[in-house]
Amino acid sequence: MTQYSSSSPRSRKGKYNKNNNTKYTVILVIIAVALLVGIGLLVFFLAKPSGKRPDDETFPSVKKTEQGETEEPDSTEASAYDTLLQKAGVTAAMYDYDGAIEAVVNAVPNYESVPELSAFVRECTAKKSKLVKWADNTQITHVFFHTLVADSEKAFSSFKKNDYNQVMTTIDEFNKIMDSMYAKGYVLVHLEDIAKIETAADGTQQMTYQPIMLPPGKTPFVMSVDDVSYYEYMNNTGFASRLVIDENGKVVNEMDIYEEVVPKQTDGRTGGPLLKTDEYGRPVVESTVRGNFDVVPLLDAFVEAHPDFSYHGAKGTIALTGYNGILGYRTSYFTYGKKDEAWMSKYSKWEKDWQYYNPDIEADRAKAKAVADAMKAEGWKFASHTWGHMTMSRDDGTGVVDKATGTIINERFQRDTGWWETEVRPRIGNTDILIFPQGADIGSWRGYTDTNEAYLYLKSVGFNYFCNVDSAICWVQLSKTVGGTGYLRMGRRNLDGTMMFKQLVNPDKNIVNDLFDVKQVFDRARPIPVIGVNVEGKDLTKLFD
Ligand SMILES: [Zn+2]
């Protein structure tokens, strides 16, 4: 029993090389998005604020004249205002009424003499007056995903099927989760909307909670996406291969299909499909298809259709490692650089068998940076996920940090941090967010202290926000001053196969119930049970009844 989302590349099976079909699909998608945006704007302009007051009024249509005025603006002017109002309308729909008003005032300083512009400004002012401050910034949920399964059949029959089933989410599931959260009134915010470092009354810099101003009934939440690297092991197992900028300047995915060596795995090796490689050892691409195969383009399209899902333009935070490069580009000198003498003297003691030489590494570094810049312009943020997906602490004490004291117990901690600083930070620009791999934190839940060596080190290289994994609905911790300027720490909830299956077999607990109905969302293409979830005494044939 398998089902595919309409956006899954699998549903275009056999058309990977047929550009025309892809073009028609793209055109249809563009028309659909344009229609949705149009409808969205129309709804925004026509929406009457509740509790109508005398100074409230709905937006007049741009062509309509105010009472007593008979003069129509000339058509060039009217269309200029249309564009301005459309753009400012999106800003206003994202609850940034000051930004929307500013856009109008900056573009048309004498806007008060233009009826539709002054009406727009009045409307923004009225809506702003109805915003309320989110009552408690420690009561904000933070959800995260990994790169999405684009082809369920491939992923759940691959050598990594159990891992994917546990920690990944499918496109179909992601779309349904977004629909549900939007319907429940959730609105995306960034970590810096919750708290940021600012100057206190005594002149010191302190991490400080920020007011989040939303209409009543709306609920802020944070989203992050881990490991958007399109790791080598994921090749040909049903995932996108990279993010690219398309001809319209939008960030979309490419999925490569690689040539597999047949017969597979006859050399006794375990692992993924054996791919044909070129003279440098790179896998040979058979064909490439473009589309919205992962969180970034899917969420961009969703917010374009529903700007009121985003607070001041916020999207998600992308957590990046460095060892396989970033965003699908093989950018790491350590892993893909030319293995000349300088490289050998510097790195060879850590060489692994998955390394090959990428002769396009400089061009790929530039492309990765361009994609990151385009994403930032669309409201995305980036975070460190450590260079080598390094587990900071383990319960058995074998991590690189002693969780109880924060003492650095393995030099790999500094080495890894250094590599992230040189290999990743220059591509994505500055960030002060660290998302711990495996959720493994550098301190206990009690909070970081002024003697936590790992925390002080991470502060010294610029990190102020620290995210672990926690099953609590909301877990937020703030210090104004520890380590100088304090920190914000947040637990995150994995919306993946494990958590959804846990919810399915424990319908009376709240695991993801507050966000969506798991029976509607859980992808039936998944093998069940999801390994690792206790199903003792559960009737697995009645999960969806
Ligand atoms: Zn990770």
Side-chain angles (χ1 to χ4, degrees), residues 21 52 61 110 175 194 269 317 322 356 424 442 489 515:
N21 286 324
K52 202 171 185 333
S61 96
N110 65 336
N175 287 338
I194 298 175
R269 80 195 259 290
T317 296
Y356 61 79
V424 184
I442 51 166
R489 206 172 161 203
L515 306 176

Side-chain angles (χ1 to χ4, degrees), residues 284-295:
V284 175
V285 176
E286 192 177 272
S287 62
T288 299
V289 62
R290 270 190 185 184
N292 296 352
F293 303 140
D294 202 1
V295 171

Side-chain angles (χ1 to χ4, degrees), residues 144 146 226-228 231 319 321 385 389 435-439 492:
F144 79 97
H146 285 93
D226 289 7
D227 300 284
V228 187
Y231 292 125
T321 59
H385 198 43
H389 208 266
I435 291 180
F436 296 117
Q438 323 286 355
R492 307 183 302 147

Side-chain angles (χ1 to χ4, degrees), residues 257-460:
I257 306 301
Y258 297 95
E259 259 188 73
E260 293 185 12
V261 173
V262 181
K264 283 181 200 173
Q265 299 179 23
T266 50
D267 56 355
R269 80 195 259 290
T270 54
L274 196 54
L275 306 181
K276 191 174 168 187
T277 52
D278 67 10
E279 71 215 88
Y280 301 107
R282 290 187 299 183
V284 175
V285 176
E286 192 177 272
S287 62
T288 299
V289 62
R290 270 190 185 184
N292 296 352
F293 303 140
D294 202 1
V295 171
V296 170
L298 288 169
L299 189 68
D300 279 345
F302 192 87
V303 171
E304 202 171 326
H306 311 284
D308 56 334
F309 192 51
S310 166
Y311 181 71
H312 295 213
K315 299 271 176 69
T317 296
I318 303 291
L320 294 176
T321 59
Y323 68 96
N324 265 188
I326 60 166
L327 307 172
Y329 297 90
R330 304 308 179 207
T331 52
S332 165
Y333 282 145
F334 171 67
T335 313
Y336 307 104
K338 197 161 197 173
K339 309 298 187 288
D340 55 14
E341 259 177 52
W343 188 97
M344 291 301 282
S345 65
K346 206 172 166 189
Y347 295 129
S348 61
K349 58 181 166 167
W350 296 298
E351 191 177 1
K352 299 251 172 54
D353 60 1
W354 37 255
Q355 291 161 343
Y356 61 79
Y357 172 50
N358 174 11
D360 303 322
I361 193 163
E362 296 306 331
D364 282 348
R365 288 186 148 213
K367 283 182 195 164
K369 185 175 184 305
V371 170
D373 287 344
M375 287 170 63
K376 284 189 282 185
E378 283 295 313
W380 294 90
K381 302 262 183 206
F382 289 96
S384 169
H385 198 43
T386 78
W387 185 88
H389 208 266
M390 182 174 58
T391 305
M392 293 285 187
S393 60
R394 288 196 178 91
D395 289 339
D396 66 2
T398 59
V400 293
V401 173
D402 175 4
K403 197 172 174 175
T405 61
T407 307
I408 299 167
I409 53 177
N410 188 318
E411 52 147 9
R412 210 157 64 80
F413 176 87
Q414 290 95 334
R415 191 169 75 225
D416 181 285
T417 306
W419 284 359
W420 197 88
E421 293 299 315
T422 55
E423 292 217 324
V424 184
R425 199 188 283 276
R427 315 272 91 68
I428 58 154
N430 229 353
T431 179
D432 57 355
I433 307 167
L434 180 60
I435 291 180
F436 296 117
Q438 323 286 355
D441 209 318
I442 51 166
S444 76
W445 59 270
R446 286 189 177 84
Y448 306 147
T449 63
D450 275 315
T451 57
N452 183 312
E453 193 184 1
Y455 166 70
L456 296 177
Y457 188 93
L458 292 169
K459 278 290 277 186
S460 76

